[in-house]
Amino acid sequence: MEMNQIKERIIHLKEDRPAYKEMLNFYENLVQVLDEVKPLLSISGGEFKRELTEFQIREGFHLLNKEDFAIDISSSVNLFNSLCKIGKNTNEKMKENIESIETAIQQGNLHLEELLKRHFDESSIERTARDSRINKSILNFLVHMSVLPSIHARVKKLKERVNMKNWLRSYCPICGSLPQISALKGEGQRYLLCSFCGFEWQSDRLKCPFCQNAEQNTLHYFYEEGKDAYRLDLCDKCKQYIKTIDLRKLIDVTYLELEDITTIHLDILASERGYRRPIPSPWGI
């Protein structure tokens, strides 16, 4: 991602959606520290056999399990601390929640390195949050963002060496996770963004990405009046939805996560209509 483009997009979004200004300020600092940590990463391992990975892709098997990603723990700890500092300067509520997390670390109730090593284990994060009486969504967000540069480094290597152009399935070819958000590009092709590793792949536009329903009379969408580049694709069979950004109507979007967190009002509208999002937004919605 290009930092200058992201910063320009944030400036535009602050003007267009002032209600999200506080959140965008946080993300502006977040993407900066994520970018700064990339050249400092030390990732070992990651060797693979091309023949095996190509076979896995052909047969529909994703390449890695979440626990297979090598994590630079030292860089992740430093990043976690940087994100806590940024978060405490965002608003009072986040400051209180992060101070609770820091207190749990200082008192030995939260072992940060162990939690980062088990970043893939949702039950471990949930148990830690419950036992320490801290906000699970914020803890999960901080942990995931802290290990994300390491995950992206592995994804980049796989992307460069394995052809995944024919993968049209609804789960990620890298880690098998469900998509967080989708985008329309080119002549209307749909691309899905992995909720865990951030890999982007092309998928079938005329199916529900969660239950594979292809009955068109049960698939529909709605969008906010005057902003048809942002829509919710709804499935009446499984009562789930995915947020879709039509990039053909937007010229300055390079970081889909920004578009996701600045359209939380659409998630609320979907929930009011009885649809649910199987993969939460970065803020747990």
Side-chain angles (χ1 to χ4, degrees):
M1 57 185 174
E2 294 292 335
M3 286 304 303
N4 288 338
Q5 288 178 295
I6 292 174
K7 289 182 177 181
E8 287 175 8
R9 181 62 181 164
I10 288 174
I11 292 172
H12 172 79
L13 287 170
K14 285 179 184 178
E15 296 173 352
D16 188 49
R17 302 172 197 171
Y20 291 100
K21 185 176 181 180
E22 191 175 80
M23 192 176 290
L24 285 165
N25 286 336
F26 173 79
Y27 261 80
E28 186 172 12
N29 291 315
L30 181 148
V31 295
Q32 183 68 49
V33 296
L34 288 178
D35 190 63
E36 290 171 355
V37 80
K38 286 192 294 186
L40 306 176
L41 290 174
S42 176
I43 306 293
S44 60
E47 298 300 322
F48 62 93
K49 294 182 179 179
R50 182 182 298 276
E51 296 81 5
L52 177 59
T53 55
E54 290 178 350
F55 170 79
Q56 287 178 266
I57 293 296
R58 280 199 312 271
E59 297 301 314
F61 297 105
H62 56 87
L63 301 180
L64 298 172
N65 295 317
K66 293 179 181 179
E67 60 267 29
D68 295 332
F69 285 88
I71 303 299
D72 183 337
I73 296 300
S74 177
S75 292
S76 297
V77 169
N78 291 335
L79 184 51
F80 186 95
N81 292 328
S82 295
L83 294 177
C84 285
K85 184 177 180 180
I86 293 169
K88 286 192 294 185
N89 291 322
T90 299
N91 58 48
E92 278 302 313
K93 186 171 181 59
M94 187 176 287
K95 180 181 179 182
E96 291 174 8
N97 282 309
I98 289 177
E99 286 178 343
S100 296
I101 292 171
E102 291 176 330
T103 298
I105 294 172
Q106 293 164 4
Q107 294 178 346
N109 298 322
L110 192 162
H111 303 283
L112 181 56
E113 288 194 14
E114 288 303 312
L115 201 61
L116 291 169
K117 289 176 183 176
R118 298 193 59 78
H119 63 92
F120 55 86
D121 187 350
E122 294 181 10
S123 63
S124 177
I125 292 175
E126 185 172 354
R127 184 170 57 254
T128 299
R130 183 184 64 246
D131 293 346
S132 300
R133 296 183 180 180
I134 54 184
N135 187 295
K136 183 186 75 171
S137 294
I138 290 180
L139 179 62
N140 185 66
F141 175 81
L142 291 172
V143 167
H144 184 65
M145 286 295 165
S146 298
V147 301
L148 199 56
S150 296
I151 292 172
H152 282 173
R154 184 70 182 280
V155 170
K156 183 180 179 181
K157 288 183 179 180
L158 286 170
K159 185 178 179 181
E160 290 172 348
R161 301 180 189 180
V162 182
N163 183 0
M164 302 182 209
K165 290 182 179 179
N166 295 323
W167 182 280
L168 297 175
R169 296 169 174 84
S170 59
Y171 53 93
C172 176
I174 302 288
C175 68
S177 299
L178 292 174
Q180 171 185 338
I181 194 170
S182 76
L184 300 180
K185 302 181 183 181
E187 298 177 355
Q189 296 93 337
R190 174 194 253 179
Y191 291 82
L192 302 176
L193 181 73
C194 179
S195 57
F196 178 77
C197 74
F199 183 74
E200 187 178 285
W201 73 98
Q202 190 175 346
S203 185
D204 194 327
R205 180 175 176 175
L206 301 178
K207 285 184 179 179
C208 169
F210 304 118
C211 73
Q212 304 305 300
N213 171 32
E215 297 176 9
Q216 297 307 298
N217 61 330
T218 61
L219 296 170
H220 51 104
Y221 65 88
F222 76 85
Y223 54 83
E224 183 182 3
E225 185 176 354
K227 295 184 181 293
D228 61 345
Y230 302 86
R231 75 186 206 191
L232 297 178
D233 287 320
L234 312 168
C235 176
D236 288 339
K237 278 205 166 183
C238 66
K239 300 300 287 186
Q240 298 180 111
Y241 73 92
I242 189 166
K243 195 178 295 180
T244 297
I245 314 299
D246 192 341
L247 296 181
R248 300 168 300 175
K249 300 178 180 180
L250 300 168
I251 60 173
D252 56 350
V253 173
T254 58
Y255 192 52
L256 286 176
E257 287 86 344
L258 280 180
E259 312 307 314
D260 192 7
I261 61 132
T262 53
T263 49
I264 289 175
H265 55 285
L266 293 180
D267 294 288
I268 295 171
L269 289 174
S271 177
E272 290 174 348
R273 297 187 182 200
Y275 296 89
R276 69 181 185 89
R277 180 175 181 166
I279 297 298
S281 72
W283 294 102
I285 293 178

